[in-house]
Amino acid sequence: GGIFKNGTIYNPRDGKTYCGKMTLTNEGKQLELRGSLCMFPFIGKTNTWQKINKLELDFNRWQCIKK
């Protein structure tokens, strides 16, 4: 997998921008997206997204499996 860090994530619900990190896991089949307070990176939230197989849909999509 790959790790993409030092990015930002915008939350349209509260209009704020957070520090972000994305990590591909499970041979690229899962994406962990972490948003955190830039001053306090231990305060944040991670969502895990599962890639849906082409056999299940007519095109590739991602589905959130853990919030």
Side-chain angles (χ1 to χ4, degrees):
I3 297 175
F4 305 92
K5 54 185 177 178
N6 299 325
T8 57
I9 298 173
Y10 176 73
N11 183 345
R13 291 184 182 161
D14 63 14
K16 295 180 182 178
T17 301
Y18 298 91
C19 286
K21 176 182 172 184
M22 294 188 301
T23 306
L24 285 173
T25 61
N26 195 16
E27 298 178 2
K29 295 176 184 171
Q30 289 185 338
L31 173 72
E32 290 182 357
L33 177 61
R34 176 151 182 88
S36 62
L37 298 176
C38 295
M39 299 289 290
F40 304 101
F42 54 89
I43 299 175
K45 180 178 179 180
T46 302
N47 285 334
T48 302
W49 294 79
Q50 176 74 40
K51 190 172 186 180
I52 297 174
N53 191 333
K54 282 187 174 184
L55 298 175
E56 297 173 28
L57 291 173
D58 54 355
F59 56 93
N60 280 333
R61 294 183 69 167
W62 290 89
Q63 173 184 1
C64 188
I65 59 172
K66 178 181 165 191
K67 291 185 180 180

